[in-house]
Coordinates of all heavy atoms in Angstrom, one line a residue:
M587 N -36.3 -178.2 73.2 CA -36.9 -177.2 72.3 C -37.8 -178.0 71.3 O -37.3 -178.8 70.6 CB -35.8 -176.5 71.5 CG -36.3 -175.6 70.4 SD -35.0 -174.7 69.5 CE -33.9 -174.1 70.8
P588 N -39.1 -177.7 71.4 CA -40.0 -178.5 70.5 C -39.9 -178.0 69.0 O -40.0 -176.8 68.7 CB -41.4 -178.2 71.0 CG -41.2 -177.0 71.8 CD -39.8 -176.9 72.3
Y589 N -39.6 -178.9 68.1 CA -39.6 -178.6 66.7 C -40.9 -179.1 66.0 O -41.2 -178.6 65.0 CB -38.4 -179.4 66.0 CG -37.1 -179.0 66.6 CD1 -36.4 -179.8 67.5 CD2 -36.5 -177.8 66.2 CE1 -35.2 -179.5 68.0 CE2 -35.2 -177.5 66.7 CZ -34.6 -178.3 67.6 OH -33.4 -177.9 68.1
F590 N -41.5 -180.1 66.6 CA -42.7 -180.6 66.0 C -43.9 -180.5 67.0 O -43.8 -180.5 68.2 CB -42.6 -182.2 65.8 CG -41.5 -182.5 64.8 CD1 -40.2 -182.8 65.2 CD2 -41.8 -182.6 63.5 CE1 -39.2 -183.1 64.3 CE2 -40.8 -183.0 62.6 CZ -39.5 -183.2 63.0
H591 N -45.1 -180.3 66.4 CA -46.3 -180.4 67.1 C -47.3 -181.1 66.2 O -47.2 -181.1 65.0 CB -46.9 -179.1 67.7 CG -47.3 -178.2 66.6 ND1 -46.5 -177.3 66.0 CD2 -48.5 -178.0 66.1 CE1 -47.2 -176.6 65.1 NE2 -48.4 -176.9 65.1
W592 N -48.3 -181.8 66.8 CA -49.2 -182.6 65.9 C -50.6 -182.5 66.6 O -50.8 -182.3 67.7 CB -48.7 -184.0 65.7 CG -48.8 -184.9 66.9 CD1 -47.9 -185.0 67.9 CD2 -49.8 -185.9 67.2 NE1 -48.2 -186.0 68.8 CE2 -49.4 -186.5 68.4 CE3 -51.0 -186.3 66.6 CZ2 -50.2 -187.5 68.9 CZ3 -51.7 -187.3 67.1 CH2 -51.3 -187.9 68.3
E593 N -51.5 -182.7 65.7 CA -52.9 -182.8 66.1 C -53.6 -183.9 65.3 O -53.4 -184.1 64.1 CB -53.6 -181.5 66.0 CG -53.6 -180.9 64.6 CD -54.3 -179.5 64.5 OE1 -53.6 -178.6 65.1 OE2 -55.3 -179.4 63.9
P594 N -54.5 -184.6 66.0 CA -55.3 -185.7 65.3 C -56.4 -185.1 64.5 O -57.1 -184.2 65.0 CB -55.7 -186.6 66.4 CG -55.8 -185.7 67.6 CD -54.8 -184.6 67.4
K595 N -56.7 -185.6 63.3 CA -57.8 -185.2 62.5 C -58.4 -186.5 61.9 O -57.8 -187.0 60.9 CB -57.5 -184.2 61.5 CG -57.1 -182.8 62.0 CD -56.9 -181.8 60.9 CE -56.6 -180.5 61.5 NZ -56.3 -179.5 60.5
D596 N -59.4 -187.0 62.4 CA -60.1 -188.2 61.8 C -59.1 -189.4 61.6 O -59.1 -190.0 60.5 CB -60.8 -187.9 60.6 CG -61.9 -186.8 60.8 OD1 -62.6 -186.9 61.8 OD2 -62.1 -186.0 59.9
G597 N -58.3 -189.7 62.6 CA -57.3 -190.8 62.4 C -56.0 -190.4 61.8 O -55.2 -191.3 61.6
V598 N -55.9 -189.2 61.3 CA -54.7 -188.7 60.7 C -53.9 -187.8 61.6 O -54.5 -186.8 62.1 CB -55.0 -188.0 59.3 CG1 -53.7 -187.5 58.7 CG2 -55.7 -189.0 58.4
A599 N -52.7 -188.1 61.9 CA -51.8 -187.1 62.7 C -51.2 -186.1 61.7 O -50.5 -186.5 60.8 CB -50.7 -187.9 63.4
V600 N -51.6 -184.9 61.9 CA -51.1 -183.8 61.1 C -49.9 -183.2 61.9 O -50.1 -182.6 62.9 CB -52.1 -182.7 60.7 CG1 -51.5 -181.6 59.9 CG2 -53.3 -183.3 60.0
V601 N -48.7 -183.5 61.4 CA -47.5 -183.1 62.1 C -46.9 -181.9 61.4 O -46.6 -181.9 60.2 CB -46.5 -184.3 62.1 CG1 -45.2 -183.8 62.8 CG2 -47.0 -185.5 62.7
T602 N -46.6 -180.9 62.2 CA -46.0 -179.6 61.7 C -44.6 -179.5 62.2 O -44.3 -179.6 63.4 CB -46.8 -178.4 62.2 OG1 -48.2 -178.5 61.7 CG2 -46.2 -177.1 61.6
L603 N -43.7 -179.3 61.3 CA -42.3 -179.0 61.6 C -42.1 -177.5 61.6 O -42.4 -176.9 60.6 CB -41.3 -179.7 60.6 CG -39.8 -179.3 60.7 CD1 -39.2 -179.6 62.1 CD2 -39.1 -180.0 59.6
D604 N -41.6 -176.9 62.7 CA -41.3 -175.5 62.7 C -40.1 -175.2 63.6 O -40.3 -175.2 64.8 CB -42.6 -174.8 63.2 CG -42.6 -173.3 62.9 OD1 -41.5 -172.8 62.4 OD2 -43.6 -172.6 63.2
T605 N -39.0 -175.0 63.0 CA -37.7 -174.8 63.7 C -37.8 -173.4 64.4 O -37.9 -172.4 63.6 CB -36.5 -174.8 62.8 OG1 -36.5 -176.1 62.1 CG2 -35.2 -174.7 63.6
P606 N -37.9 -173.3 65.7 CA -38.0 -172.0 66.4 C -36.9 -171.1 66.1 O -35.7 -171.5 66.0 CB -38.1 -172.4 67.8 CG -38.3 -173.8 67.9 CD -37.8 -174.4 66.6
G607 N -37.2 -169.8 65.9 CA -36.1 -168.8 65.7 C -35.4 -168.7 64.4 O -34.5 -167.9 64.2
L608 N -35.8 -169.6 63.4 CA -35.1 -169.6 62.1 C -36.2 -169.3 61.0 O -37.3 -169.7 61.1 CB -34.4 -170.9 61.9 CG -33.3 -171.2 62.8 CD1 -32.7 -172.6 62.4 CD2 -32.2 -170.2 62.6
P609 N -35.7 -168.7 59.9 CA -36.7 -168.4 58.9 C -37.0 -169.6 58.0 O -38.0 -169.6 57.3 CB -36.0 -167.4 58.0 CG -34.5 -167.6 58.3 CD -34.4 -168.0 59.7
V610 N -36.2 -170.7 58.1 CA -36.4 -171.9 57.4 C -36.2 -173.1 58.4 O -35.5 -173.0 59.4 CB -35.4 -172.1 56.2 CG1 -35.7 -171.0 55.2 CG2 -34.0 -172.1 56.7
N611 N -36.8 -174.2 58.0 CA -36.6 -175.4 58.8 C -35.3 -176.1 58.4 O -35.0 -176.1 57.2 CB -37.7 -176.4 58.6 CG -39.0 -176.0 59.2 OD1 -39.1 -175.4 60.3 ND2 -40.1 -176.1 58.4
V612 N -34.5 -176.6 59.3 CA -33.3 -177.3 59.1 C -33.3 -178.6 59.8 O -33.9 -178.7 60.9 CB -32.0 -176.4 59.4 CG1 -31.9 -175.2 58.5 CG2 -32.0 -176.0 60.8
I613 N -32.5 -179.5 59.3 CA -32.3 -180.8 60.0 C -31.1 -180.7 60.9 O -30.0 -180.5 60.4 CB -32.2 -182.0 59.0 CG1 -33.4 -182.1 58.1 CG2 -31.9 -183.3 59.8 CD1 -34.6 -182.5 58.9
S614 N -31.3 -180.9 62.2 CA -30.2 -180.9 63.2 C -30.3 -182.1 64.0 O -31.3 -182.9 63.9 CB -30.4 -179.6 64.1 OG -31.6 -179.7 64.8
R615 N -29.4 -182.3 64.9 CA -29.5 -183.5 65.8 C -30.7 -183.4 66.6 O -31.4 -184.4 66.9 CB -28.2 -183.5 66.7 CG -27.0 -183.9 66.0 CD -25.8 -184.1 67.0 NE -24.7 -184.6 66.3 CZ -23.5 -183.9 66.2 NH1 -23.4 -182.7 66.8 NH2 -22.5 -184.4 65.6
G616 N -31.0 -182.2 67.1 CA -32.2 -182.1 67.9 C -33.5 -182.4 67.2 O -34.4 -183.1 67.7
V617 N -33.6 -182.0 65.9 CA -34.8 -182.3 65.1 C -34.9 -183.8 64.9 O -35.9 -184.4 65.0 CB -34.7 -181.5 63.7 CG1 -35.8 -182.1 62.8 CG2 -34.9 -180.0 63.9
K618 N -33.7 -184.4 64.6 CA -33.7 -185.8 64.3 C -34.1 -186.6 65.6 O -35.0 -187.5 65.5 CB -32.3 -186.2 63.9 CG -32.2 -187.7 63.5 CD -30.8 -188.1 63.1 CE -30.0 -187.9 64.3 NZ -28.6 -188.3 64.2
E619 N -33.6 -186.2 66.7 CA -33.9 -186.9 68.0 C -35.4 -186.8 68.3 O -36.1 -187.8 68.7 CB -33.0 -186.4 69.1 CG -31.6 -186.9 69.0 CD -30.7 -186.2 69.9 OE1 -31.1 -185.4 70.8 OE2 -29.4 -186.4 69.8
E620 N -35.9 -185.6 68.1 CA -37.3 -185.4 68.4 C -38.2 -186.1 67.4 O -39.3 -186.6 67.8 CB -37.7 -183.9 68.4 CG -39.0 -183.6 68.9 CD -39.4 -182.1 69.0 OE1 -38.5 -181.3 69.4 OE2 -40.5 -181.7 68.6
L621 N -37.8 -186.2 66.2 CA -38.6 -186.9 65.2 C -38.7 -188.4 65.6 O -39.7 -189.0 65.5 CB -37.9 -186.8 63.8 CG -38.6 -187.6 62.7 CD1 -40.1 -187.1 62.5 CD2 -37.8 -187.4 61.4
Y622 N -37.5 -189.0 66.0 CA -37.6 -190.4 66.4 C -38.6 -190.6 67.6 O -39.3 -191.6 67.6 CB -36.2 -190.9 66.8 CG -35.2 -191.0 65.7 CD1 -33.9 -190.8 65.9 CD2 -35.6 -191.4 64.4 CE1 -32.9 -191.0 64.9 CE2 -34.7 -191.5 63.4 CZ -33.4 -191.3 63.6 OH -32.5 -191.5 62.6
E623 N -38.5 -189.7 68.5 CA -39.5 -189.8 69.7 C -40.9 -189.6 69.2 O -41.8 -190.4 69.7 CB -39.1 -188.7 70.7 CG -37.8 -189.0 71.4 CD -37.4 -187.8 72.3 OE1 -38.2 -186.9 72.6 OE2 -36.2 -187.8 72.7
L624 N -41.1 -188.7 68.3 CA -42.5 -188.5 67.8 C -43.0 -189.7 67.1 O -44.2 -190.1 67.3 CB -42.5 -187.2 66.9 CG -43.8 -187.0 66.2 CD1 -44.9 -186.6 67.1 CD2 -43.6 -185.9 65.1
L625 N -42.2 -190.3 66.2 CA -42.6 -191.4 65.4 C -43.0 -192.6 66.4 O -43.9 -193.3 66.1 CB -41.5 -191.8 64.4 CG -41.3 -190.8 63.3 CD1 -40.1 -191.3 62.4 CD2 -42.6 -190.7 62.4
A626 N -42.2 -192.8 67.4 CA -42.5 -193.8 68.4 C -43.8 -193.5 69.1 O -44.7 -194.4 69.3 CB -41.4 -194.0 69.4
E627 N -44.1 -192.3 69.4 CA -45.3 -191.9 70.1 C -46.5 -192.1 69.1 O -47.5 -192.7 69.6 CB -45.3 -190.4 70.5 CG -46.5 -189.9 71.0 CD -46.5 -188.4 71.3 OE1 -45.4 -187.8 71.3 OE2 -47.6 -187.8 71.6
L628 N -46.4 -191.8 67.9 CA -47.4 -191.9 66.9 C -47.7 -193.4 66.7 O -48.9 -193.8 66.5 CB -47.1 -191.2 65.6 CG -47.1 -189.7 65.7 CD1 -46.5 -189.1 64.4 CD2 -48.4 -189.1 66.0
E629 N -46.7 -194.2 66.7 CA -46.8 -195.7 66.5 C -47.6 -196.3 67.6 O -48.4 -197.2 67.4 CB -45.5 -196.3 66.3 CG -45.5 -197.8 66.0 CD -44.2 -198.4 65.7 OE1 -43.2 -198.0 66.4 OE2 -44.1 -199.3 64.8
R630 N -47.4 -195.8 68.8 CA -48.1 -196.4 70.0 C -49.5 -195.9 70.1 O -50.3 -196.5 70.8 CB -47.4 -195.9 71.3 CG -46.1 -196.6 71.5 CD -45.5 -196.3 72.9 NE -45.3 -194.9 73.1 CZ -44.2 -194.2 72.9 NH1 -43.2 -194.8 72.4 NH2 -44.1 -192.9 73.2
D631 N -49.9 -194.8 69.4 CA -51.2 -194.3 69.5 C -52.2 -195.0 68.5 O -52.1 -194.9 67.3 CB -51.2 -192.8 69.1 CG -52.5 -192.1 69.4 OD1 -53.6 -192.7 69.2 OD2 -52.5 -190.9 69.7
A632 N -53.0 -195.9 69.0 CA -53.9 -196.7 68.2 C -54.9 -195.9 67.4 O -55.5 -196.4 66.4 CB -54.7 -197.7 69.1
T633 N -55.1 -194.6 67.7 CA -56.1 -193.8 67.0 C -55.5 -193.3 65.7 O -56.2 -192.8 64.8 CB -56.6 -192.7 67.8 OG1 -55.6 -191.7 68.1 CG2 -57.3 -193.2 69.1
V634 N -54.1 -193.3 65.6 CA -53.4 -192.7 64.4 C -53.3 -193.8 63.4 O -52.7 -194.9 63.6 CB -52.1 -192.2 64.8 CG1 -51.3 -191.8 63.6 CG2 -52.2 -191.1 65.8
K635 N -53.9 -193.6 62.2 CA -53.9 -194.5 61.1 C -53.0 -194.0 60.0 O -52.6 -194.8 59.1 CB -55.3 -194.7 60.5 CG -56.4 -195.1 61.6 CD -56.0 -196.5 62.2 CE -57.0 -196.9 63.2 NZ -56.5 -197.8 64.1
A636 N -52.7 -192.7 59.9 CA -51.8 -192.2 58.9 C -51.2 -190.9 59.5 O -51.7 -190.3 60.5 CB -52.6 -191.8 57.7
V637 N -50.1 -190.5 58.8 CA -49.4 -189.3 59.3 C -49.1 -188.4 58.1 O -48.7 -188.9 57.0 CB -48.0 -189.7 59.9 CG1 -47.3 -188.4 60.4 CG2 -48.2 -190.6 61.1
V638 N -49.4 -187.1 58.2 CA -49.1 -186.1 57.2 C -48.1 -185.1 57.8 O -48.4 -184.6 58.9 CB -50.3 -185.4 56.7 CG1 -50.0 -184.3 55.8 CG2 -51.3 -186.4 56.1
F639 N -47.0 -184.8 57.1 CA -46.0 -183.8 57.6 C -46.2 -182.5 56.8 O -46.3 -182.6 55.6 CB -44.6 -184.3 57.4 CG -44.2 -185.4 58.4 CD1 -44.4 -186.7 58.0 CD2 -43.7 -185.1 59.6 CE1 -44.1 -187.7 58.9 CE2 -43.3 -186.1 60.5 CZ -43.5 -187.4 60.1
V640 N -46.3 -181.4 57.5 CA -46.4 -180.1 56.9 C -45.4 -179.2 57.5 O -44.8 -179.4 58.6 CB -47.8 -179.5 57.0 CG1 -48.9 -180.4 56.3 CG2 -48.2 -179.3 58.5
S641 N -45.1 -178.0 56.9 CA -44.2 -177.1 57.4 C -44.9 -175.9 58.1 O -45.9 -175.5 57.6 CB -43.4 -176.5 56.2 OG -42.5 -175.5 56.7
G642 N -44.3 -175.5 59.1 CA -44.7 -174.3 59.8 C -44.2 -173.0 59.2 O -44.5 -171.9 59.6
K643 N -43.4 -173.2 58.2 CA -42.8 -172.0 57.4 C -43.6 -171.8 56.2 O -44.0 -172.7 55.5 CB -41.3 -172.3 57.1 CG -40.4 -172.7 58.3 CD -40.3 -171.6 59.3 CE -39.4 -172.0 60.4 NZ -39.4 -171.2 61.6
P644 N -43.8 -170.6 55.8 CA -44.6 -170.3 54.6 C -44.1 -170.7 53.3 O -44.9 -171.0 52.4 CB -44.9 -168.8 54.7 CG -43.7 -168.2 55.4 CD -43.3 -169.3 56.4
D645 N -42.8 -170.7 53.1 CA -42.2 -170.9 51.7 C -41.4 -172.1 51.5 O -40.9 -172.3 50.4 CB -41.3 -169.7 51.4 CG -42.1 -168.4 51.4 OD1 -43.3 -168.4 51.0 OD2 -41.5 -167.3 51.8
N646 N -41.3 -173.0 52.5 CA -40.5 -174.2 52.3 C -40.8 -175.2 53.3 O -41.5 -174.9 54.3 CB -39.0 -173.9 52.3 CG -38.5 -173.4 53.7 OD1 -38.6 -174.1 54.6 ND2 -38.1 -172.1 53.7
F647 N -40.3 -176.4 53.1 CA -40.5 -177.5 54.1 C -39.2 -177.6 54.9 O -39.2 -177.4 56.1 CB -40.9 -178.8 53.4 CG -41.2 -179.9 54.4 CD1 -42.2 -179.8 55.3 CD2 -40.4 -181.0 54.4 CE1 -42.5 -180.8 56.2 CE2 -40.6 -182.1 55.4 CZ -41.6 -181.9 56.2
I648 N -38.1 -178.1 54.2 CA -36.8 -178.2 54.9 C -35.8 -177.6 53.9 O -35.7 -178.0 52.8 CB -36.5 -179.6 55.3 CG1 -37.5 -180.2 56.3 CG2 -35.1 -179.7 55.8 CD1 -37.4 -181.6 56.5
A649 N -34.9 -176.7 54.5 CA -33.9 -176.1 53.6 C -32.7 -177.1 53.5 O -31.9 -177.0 52.6 CB -33.4 -174.8 54.2
G650 N -32.5 -178.0 54.5 CA -31.4 -178.9 54.4 C -30.8 -179.1 55.8 O -31.5 -178.8 56.8
A651 N -29.5 -179.5 55.9 CA -28.9 -179.7 57.1 C -28.5 -178.4 57.8 O -28.3 -177.4 57.2 CB -27.6 -180.6 56.9
D652 N -28.4 -178.5 59.1 CA -28.0 -177.4 59.9 C -26.5 -177.2 59.8 O -25.7 -178.0 60.5 CB -28.4 -177.5 61.4 CG -28.1 -176.4 62.3 OD1 -27.4 -175.4 61.8 OD2 -28.5 -176.4 63.5
I653 N -26.0 -176.4 59.0 CA -24.6 -176.3 58.7 C -23.8 -175.8 59.9 O -22.6 -176.0 60.0 CB -24.2 -175.4 57.4 CG1 -24.8 -174.0 57.6 CG2 -24.8 -176.1 56.2 CD1 -24.3 -173.1 56.5
E654 N -24.5 -175.2 60.9 CA -23.8 -174.7 62.1 C -23.2 -175.9 62.8 O -22.2 -175.8 63.5 CB -24.7 -173.9 63.0 CG -25.2 -172.6 62.4 CD -24.0 -171.7 62.1 OE1 -23.1 -171.6 63.0 OE2 -24.0 -171.0 61.1
E655 N -23.8 -177.1 62.7 CA -23.3 -178.3 63.3 C -22.1 -178.8 62.7 O -21.2 -179.4 63.4 CB -24.4 -179.4 63.3 CG -25.5 -179.1 64.3 CD -26.5 -180.3 64.4 OE1 -26.4 -181.2 63.6 OE2 -27.4 -180.2 65.2
F656 N -21.8 -178.5 61.4 CA -20.6 -178.9 60.8 C -19.4 -178.3 61.4 O -18.3 -179.0 61.5 CB -20.7 -178.6 59.3 CG -21.8 -179.3 58.5 CD1 -22.1 -178.9 57.2 CD2 -22.5 -180.3 59.0 CE1 -23.1 -179.5 56.5 CE2 -23.5 -181.0 58.3 CZ -23.8 -180.5 57.0
V657 N -19.4 -177.1 61.8 CA -18.2 -176.4 62.3 C -17.9 -176.9 63.7 O -16.8 -176.7 64.2 CB -18.4 -174.9 62.4 CG1 -18.6 -174.3 61.0 CG2 -19.5 -174.5 63.3
Q658 N -18.8 -177.7 64.3 CA -18.5 -178.3 65.6 C -17.8 -179.6 65.5 O -17.4 -180.2 66.5 CB -19.8 -178.4 66.4 CG -20.4 -177.1 66.7 CD -21.8 -177.2 67.3 OE1 -22.2 -178.3 67.7 NE2 -22.5 -176.1 67.4
L659 N -17.7 -180.2 64.3 CA -17.1 -181.5 64.1 C -15.6 -181.4 64.4 O -14.9 -180.5 64.0 CB -17.3 -182.0 62.7 CG -18.8 -182.2 62.3 CD1 -18.9 -182.5 60.8 CD2 -19.4 -183.3 63.2
K660 N -15.1 -182.4 65.2 CA -13.7 -182.4 65.6 C -12.8 -183.3 64.8 O -11.6 -183.2 64.8 CB -13.6 -182.7 67.1 CG -14.4 -181.8 68.0 CD -13.8 -180.5 68.1 CE -14.6 -179.7 69.1 NZ -14.8 -178.3 68.7
S661 N -13.4 -184.3 64.1 CA -12.6 -185.3 63.4 C -13.4 -185.9 62.2 O -14.6 -185.7 62.1 CB -12.3 -186.5 64.4 OG -13.4 -187.2 64.7
T662 N -12.6 -186.6 61.4 CA -13.2 -187.3 60.3 C -14.3 -188.3 60.8 O -15.3 -188.5 60.2 CB -12.2 -188.0 59.5 OG1 -11.2 -187.1 59.0 CG2 -12.7 -188.8 58.3
A663 N -14.0 -189.0 61.9 CA -14.9 -190.0 62.5 C -16.2 -189.3 62.9 O -17.3 -189.8 62.7 CB -14.2 -190.7 63.7
D664 N -16.1 -188.1 63.5 CA -17.3 -187.3 63.9 C -18.1 -187.0 62.6 O -19.4 -187.1 62.6 CB -17.0 -186.0 64.6 CG -16.4 -186.2 65.9 OD1 -16.5 -187.3 66.5 OD2 -15.8 -185.3 66.5
A665 N -17.5 -186.6 61.5 CA -18.2 -186.3 60.3 C -18.8 -187.5 59.7 O -20.0 -187.4 59.2 CB -17.2 -185.6 59.3
E666 N -18.1 -188.6 59.7 CA -18.7 -189.9 59.2 C -19.9 -190.3 60.0 O -20.9 -190.7 59.5 CB -17.6 -191.0 59.2 CG -16.6 -190.8 58.2 CD -15.5 -191.9 58.3 OE1 -15.6 -192.8 59.1 OE2 -14.5 -191.8 57.5
Q667 N -19.8 -190.2 61.4 CA -21.0 -190.6 62.2 C -22.2 -189.7 62.0 O -23.3 -190.1 61.9 CB -20.6 -190.5 63.7 CG -21.6 -191.0 64.6 CD -21.9 -192.5 64.3 OE1 -21.0 -193.3 64.3 NE2 -23.2 -192.8 64.2
L668 N -21.9 -188.4 61.8 CA -23.0 -187.4 61.5 C -23.7 -187.8 60.2 O -24.9 -187.8 60.1 CB -22.5 -186.0 61.5 CG -23.6 -184.9 61.3 CD1 -24.6 -184.9 62.4 CD2 -22.9 -183.5 61.1
S669 N -22.9 -188.1 59.2 CA -23.4 -188.5 57.9 C -24.2 -189.8 58.0 O -25.3 -189.9 57.5 CB -22.2 -188.7 56.9 OG -22.7 -189.1 55.7
R670 N -23.7 -190.8 58.7 CA -24.5 -192.0 58.9 C -25.8 -191.8 59.6 O -26.8 -192.4 59.3 CB -23.6 -193.1 59.7 CG -22.5 -193.7 58.9 CD -21.9 -194.8 59.7 NE -20.5 -195.1 59.7 CZ -19.8 -195.2 58.6 NH1 -20.3 -195.2 57.4 NH2 -18.5 -195.4 58.6
D671 N -25.7 -191.0 60.7 CA -26.9 -190.7 61.5 C -28.0 -190.0 60.6 O -29.2 -190.2 60.8 CB -26.6 -189.8 62.7 CG -25.8 -190.6 63.7 OD1 -25.7 -191.8 63.7 OD2 -25.3 -189.9 64.6
G672 N -27.5 -189.3 59.6 CA -28.5 -188.6 58.7 C -29.2 -189.5 57.8 O -30.2 -189.1 57.2
Q673 N -28.6 -190.7 57.6 CA -29.2 -191.6 56.6 C -30.4 -192.3 57.3 O -31.3 -192.8 56.7 CB -28.2 -192.7 56.2 CG -27.0 -192.1 55.5 CD -27.4 -191.4 54.2 OE1 -28.2 -191.9 53.4 NE2 -26.9 -190.2 53.9

C-alpha cells in the first residue's frame, strides 16, 4: 500500500505522505518501511538535491503512532522492539 508519492521540482523532491483510508496520517510499520525505501531511492537519484515533506491531509501532518498496532503486541519484548524501531 503506497503511503508516499513524490515528484521532482527543480532538484527538490516534494514528498507527500497520505495514509490511505484514514482521516489523518499515522506512523505504522508499513509507513516506516516505505519511508526507508523511499529515502534510499532519493539518495540514489543524482537529480535530487533536497527533500521537502508535505501532508496529503488538509489539517495535519502526522497524528502519531498507529495505536491499532499496539493491541497486536504479544510481549514486553515486542513492545520494546516497536519502541526502538520507532526511534
Side-chain angles (χ1 to χ4, degrees):
M587 173 180 318
Y589 300 100
F590 296 93
H591 67 273
W592 70 279
E593 58 185 68
K595 291 186 180 178
D596 299 323
V598 177
V600 179
V601 177
T602 302
L603 169 60
D604 196 355
T605 306
L608 294 178
V610 297
N611 292 318
V612 294
I613 299 296
S614 65
R615 286 185 177 117
V617 168
K618 184 181 64 172
E619 290 168 4
E620 189 177 319
L621 176 61
Y622 290 149
E623 292 171 15
L624 173 66
L625 292 174
E627 177 185 347
L628 294 172
E629 186 175 35
R630 288 188 303 269
D631 189 328
T633 65
V634 174
K635 305 299 180 200
V637 179
V638 173
F639 287 91
V640 298
S641 176
K643 306 298 184 193
D645 297 324
N646 64 65
F647 184 63
I648 297 172
D652 182 354
I653 59 172
E654 294 299 319
E655 289 185 350
F656 297 166
V657 297
Q658 298 172 12
L659 297 172
K660 303 289 186 221
S661 68
T662 302
D664 290 344
E666 288 176 3
Q667 187 61 50
L668 182 64
S669 178
R670 285 190 217 306
D671 290 347
Q673 297 300 316

